[in-house]
């Protein structure tokens, strides 16, 4: 390979690496949104424990405040409880409901409208999770939109409040969305009866397969022993035949 060809290949390789790096740099921030992720099942009409995941998107600033708003008008939640996060102070705000709700025979006149975390710090290249217990989840919706506002120590504010629409490109600052599934068997996130039946059937099938394997192994072991004994008998008979034949030739 001549010098000119090696030079051209080196230049093309450098251009390719630079292009790949550019794609990575440009694509990175698209995945660094504030999101909400279920820890267990998020079933309609039930209760769920979720994490609000907050990544720090800045290289020269730290996140020092998070506000999460709940759809108290469209889908009020009768129970919203934050779990303590070391280093952070939490403040829960409630709003009066236009129409009181009845839960377990008790009338609920207000619901949580916003939760704010302050006092902590999420540094560059880090993320923090804020656990929440939510319920009862709406039965007439496929998702729950929790709008979030992220504040940095340089006074920059990022509003994650744009609701994603099906069939449309993702907005620049999408709001965290909790997907809701079909109601579970007992309404509290338990597995449906069908799933339990499938699990039992699967275990029974596995046990049956294990029995078949053990039976096959036992049969194989028995066969090996019989063949071994037959081999010994044949060997002894061969030795005896050889001895007798030798004696006949000698006589």
């Amino acid at each position: 390979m001549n010098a000119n060809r090696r030079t051209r290949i080196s230049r093309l390789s450098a251009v390719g690496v630079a292009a790949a790096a550019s794609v990575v740099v440009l694509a990175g921030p698209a995945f660094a949104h504030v999101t909400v992720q279920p820890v267990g099942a998020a079933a309609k009409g039930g209760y769920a424990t979720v994490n609000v995941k907050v990544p720090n998107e800045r290289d020269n600033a730290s996140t020092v405040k998070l506000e999460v708003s709940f759809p108290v008008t469209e889908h009020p939640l009768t129970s919203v409880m934050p779990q303590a996060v070391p280093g952070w102070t939490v403040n829960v705000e409630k709003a009066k409901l236009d129409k009181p709700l009845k839960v377990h025979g008790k009338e609920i006149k207000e619901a949580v409208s916003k939760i704010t975390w302050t006092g902590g710090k999420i540094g560059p290249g880090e993320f923090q999770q804020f656990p929440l217990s939510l319920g009862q989840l709406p039965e007439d919706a496929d998702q729950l939109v929790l709008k979030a506002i992220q504040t940095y120590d340089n006074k920059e504010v990022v509003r994650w409040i744009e609701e994603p629409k099906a069939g449309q490109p993702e907005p620049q600052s999408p709001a965290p969305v909790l997907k809701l599934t079909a109601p579970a068997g007992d309404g509290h996130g338990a597995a449906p009866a069908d799933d339990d039946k499938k699990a039992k059937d699967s275990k029974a099938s596995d046990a049956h397969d294990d029995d078949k394997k053990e039976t096959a192994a036992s049969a194989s072991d028995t066969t090996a022993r019989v063949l071994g004994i037959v081999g010994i008998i044949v060997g002894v008979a061969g030795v005896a035949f050889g001895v007798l034949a030798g004696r006949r030739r000698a006589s």
Side-chain angles (χ1 to χ4, degrees):
M1 183 182 295
N2 57 43
N4 291 334
R5 188 175 180 183
R6 285 198 298 269
T7 301
R8 287 197 298 270
I9 292 176
S10 299
R11 289 177 178 174
L12 290 173
S13 299
V15 171
V17 171
S22 299
V23 171
V24 172
V25 170
L26 292 175
F31 297 96
H33 302 330
V34 173
T35 58
V36 58
Q37 304 168 343
V39 176
K44 299 179 181 179
Y47 294 80
T49 300
V50 304
N51 281 329
V52 179
K53 184 178 180 181
V54 183
N56 188 55
E57 294 186 308
R58 302 295 179 261
D59 296 329
N60 57 352
S62 297
T63 297
V64 293
K65 182 179 180 181
L66 174 69
E67 301 169 74
V68 175
S69 296
F70 299 85
V72 67
T73 302
E74 302 87 354
H75 302 294
L77 301 176
T78 57
S79 175
V80 178
M81 293 185 295
Q83 181 176 326
V85 179
W88 293 82
T89 300
V90 61
N91 180 60
V92 180
E93 299 180 30
K94 295 184 178 181
K96 291 185 178 180
L97 300 176
D98 294 334
K99 183 179 180 181
L101 302 175
K102 286 189 177 181
V103 179
H104 304 302
K106 183 179 179 180
E107 188 175 71
I108 305 297
K109 297 183 179 181
E110 59 181 12
V112 172
S113 58
K114 185 171 70 171
I115 294 181
T116 303
W117 288 268
T118 56
K121 180 178 291 188
I122 307 173
E126 300 176 348
F127 75 91
Q128 178 67 56
Q129 296 190 105
F130 299 89
L132 292 171
S133 174
L134 307 178
Q136 289 181 326
L137 298 173
E139 298 182 3
D140 57 348
D142 295 325
Q143 63 182 27
L144 192 67
V145 179
L146 307 178
K147 298 181 179 181
I149 298 178
Q150 182 179 10
T151 302
Y152 290 87
D153 56 7
N154 61 358
K155 307 304 180 182
E156 179 185 3
V157 176
V158 181
R159 301 178 183 276
W160 304 99
I161 60 175
E162 300 178 56
E163 184 175 349
K165 301 294 184 181
Q168 297 184 12
E170 184 180 61
Q172 184 175 1
S173 300
V177 175
L178 176 64
K179 298 293 184 181
L180 303 179
T181 63
D186 62 356
H188 291 79
D194 290 343
D195 291 344
D196 290 340
K197 184 176 183 301
K198 290 179 181 178
K200 291 179 181 178
D201 291 344
S202 177
K203 291 181 180 179
S205 177
D206 292 341
H208 181 64
D209 291 341
D210 291 340
D211 291 340
K212 289 171 65 179
K213 291 178 181 178
E214 291 178 2
T215 301
S218 178
S220 177
D221 183 60
T222 301
T223 301
R225 290 181 181 180
V226 171
L227 291 176
I229 294 172
V230 171
I232 293 172
I233 294 174
V234 171
V236 172
V239 172
F241 179 78
V243 172
L244 292 175
R247 289 181 178 177
R248 287 178 182 175
R249 285 195 295 271
S251 62

